[in-house]
Amino acid sequence: MHPMTRWLDDDEQRTWRNFVAATQLLYAALDRQLQRDSGLPHTYYVILVGLSEAPERRMRMSELATWAQSSQSRLSHAVARLEERGWVRRERCPEDGRGNFAVLTDEGFTALAAAAPGHVEEVRRSLFDVLDPEQIRALDDICATVRARLER
Amino acid sequence: MHPMTRWLDDDEQRTWRNFVAATQLLYAALDRQLQRDSGLPHTYYVILVGLSEAPERRMRMSELATWAQSSQSRLSHAVARLEERGWVRRERCPEDGRGNFAVLTDEGFTALAAAAPGHVEEVRRSLFDVLDPEQIRALDDICATVRARLER
DNA sequence: GCATTTTACTTGAACTCTCATATACATTGG
DNA sequence: CCAATGTATATGAGAGTTCAAGTAAAATGC
């Protein structure tokens, strides 16, 4: 396929390993905190956030999947779980018989409101508090670039 | 507990969401590539890399777990799977009856060697190729800082 | 020297994620 | 209008991760 691999040089390798280590530690810390304090994995938390910001706290399943960067299957399973806990409810879409809305319930909103402060604190402790303003700007820039590249 | 939550301001929120989006897209791309081309999740790949770099391609389980930033349980399950595929073998530790070595087999080394080029290409495509040298330096710095913060 | 604690690792169950497939409705082309 | 295709979502099985125990061997302490 490719004639030769462009291997990572030492600097690149160090950067890559720092990246993997930092991101994995960060997500591990986030997941531990959320799980401990609210019984939610981060992906589920993101789903609730998406719904909470949507008009009438409701979104079509596929729209929500896109928003949360989730596969439809993953979202479907996740919403099923959240529905069991009474935090989300499904509603058939009147305009499109195939469609479903996911609706954040009041209990779900309350749960999210309870989970948010601890989560934000963890994000600060783990990321923003250890970086200076310049680094934060640089990080935003880098992430926006990578994101744009990978979103298509 | 805490008197008031220090919420994220708009800039911080944008940065955080870019960070989550970028990292998740990146890991999704990596995992897809590795799974498709070698049937390995990224975490398993990392384990093989760790072993391949260790003296005699062997490491104590706990040492390997630390290296790969894995829980012992996760590593134990992972090595069990890799053992089934014949890519890793366990050996009792003579000095410590509780201990085990994970040893990379020749088949495992071959599999890793086959997986590496595609993986490195994906890392380049998704990350290094879209950033300029200054950004890469900044990213290294940021990740090293966050990593140090979260490693203790 | 033996009971206690600690360390190294494994195991099983519960949960999440992925992938392939299924279902049901919508749209399109003739 | 209806067959074919496409779209929105659900479901089930398989695989990975986590968490809580469990086992077995070492270290500790009196």
Side-chain angles (χ1 to χ4, degrees), chain A residues 62 72-73 76-77 90 98 100:
Chain A
S62 40
Q72 296 212 136
S73 170
S76 193
H77 285 294
R90 272 185 247 238
R98 301 162 297 182
N100 262 336

Side-chain angles (χ1 to χ4, degrees), chain B residues 48 57 85-89 104-113:
Chain B
L48 297 184
R57 296 181 187 161
R85 297 185 214 183
W87 292 356
V88 171
R89 158 173 46 89
L104 186 63
T105 64
D106 290 346
E107 294 77 26
F109 188 81
T110 303
L112 177 59

Side-chain angles (χ1 to χ4, degrees), chain B:
Chain B
M1 195 67 56
H2 291 292
M4 284 192 66
T5 302
R6 298 175 299 147
W7 296 106
L8 302 183
D9 65 31
D10 288 355
D11 282 356
E12 288 168 331
Q13 188 134 128
R14 178 172 35 75
T15 300
W16 176 243
R17 294 192 176 181
N18 277 334
F19 177 84
V20 171
T23 51
Q24 289 188 166
L25 286 165
L26 187 41
Y27 281 114
L30 282 181
D31 266 329
R32 259 196 314 279
Q33 184 277 321
L34 274 173
Q35 194 68 49
R36 174 166 40 75
D37 296 354
S38 343
L40 279 171
H42 183 240
T43 39
Y44 285 33
Y45 180 85
V46 168
I47 289 168
L48 297 184
V49 169
L51 289 177
S52 77
E53 294 179 354
E56 305 186 46
R57 296 181 187 161
R58 63 172 56 229
M59 231 188 276
R60 286 287 294 271
M61 290 295 282
S62 40
E63 198 189 347
L64 183 53
T66 304
W67 193 89
Q69 299 201 132
S70 165
S71 68
Q72 292 210 138
S73 170
R74 174 157 106 196
L75 179 67
S76 195
H77 285 295
V79 167
R81 297 312 171 105
L82 290 169
E83 208 169 13
E84 287 168 12
R85 297 185 214 183
W87 292 356
V88 171
R89 158 173 46 89
R90 272 185 250 239
E91 263 179 40
R92 285 223 138 280
C93 174
E95 295 89 39
D96 188 334
R98 301 164 295 182
N100 261 335
F101 284 99
V103 188
L104 186 63
T105 64
D106 290 346
E107 294 77 26
F109 188 81
T110 303
L112 177 59
H119 173 64
V120 171
E121 280 303 325
E122 186 62 51
V123 170
R124 283 213 175 279
R125 253 199 307 281
S126 301
L127 187 66
F128 289 107
D129 284 355
V130 300
L131 302 177
D132 62 42
E134 181 120 10
Q135 286 177 311
I136 294 173
R137 263 193 306 279
L139 181 62
D140 183 46
D141 209 48
I142 289 165
C143 291
T145 304
V146 171
R147 178 180 189 172
R149 168 76 172 83
L150 293 175
E151 260 169 358
R152 190 123 335 270

Side-chain angles (χ1 to χ4, degrees), chain A residues 40-96:
Chain A
L40 279 171
H42 183 241
T43 38
Y44 285 31
Y45 180 86
V46 168
I47 289 167
L48 297 184
V49 169
L51 288 177
S52 77
E53 293 180 356
E56 305 186 46
R57 296 179 186 162
R58 64 173 55 229
M59 231 189 275
R60 286 288 293 271
M61 290 296 282
S62 40
E63 199 189 347
L64 183 53
T66 303
W67 194 90
Q69 300 202 132
S70 165
S71 68
Q72 296 212 136
S73 170
R74 175 158 106 197
L75 179 67
S76 193
H77 285 294
V79 167
R81 296 313 171 111
L82 291 168
E83 207 168 14
E84 288 168 12
R85 297 185 215 184
W87 292 355
V88 171
R89 157 173 47 89
R90 272 185 247 238
E91 262 179 40
R92 288 222 134 279
C93 174
E95 293 90 38
D96 188 336

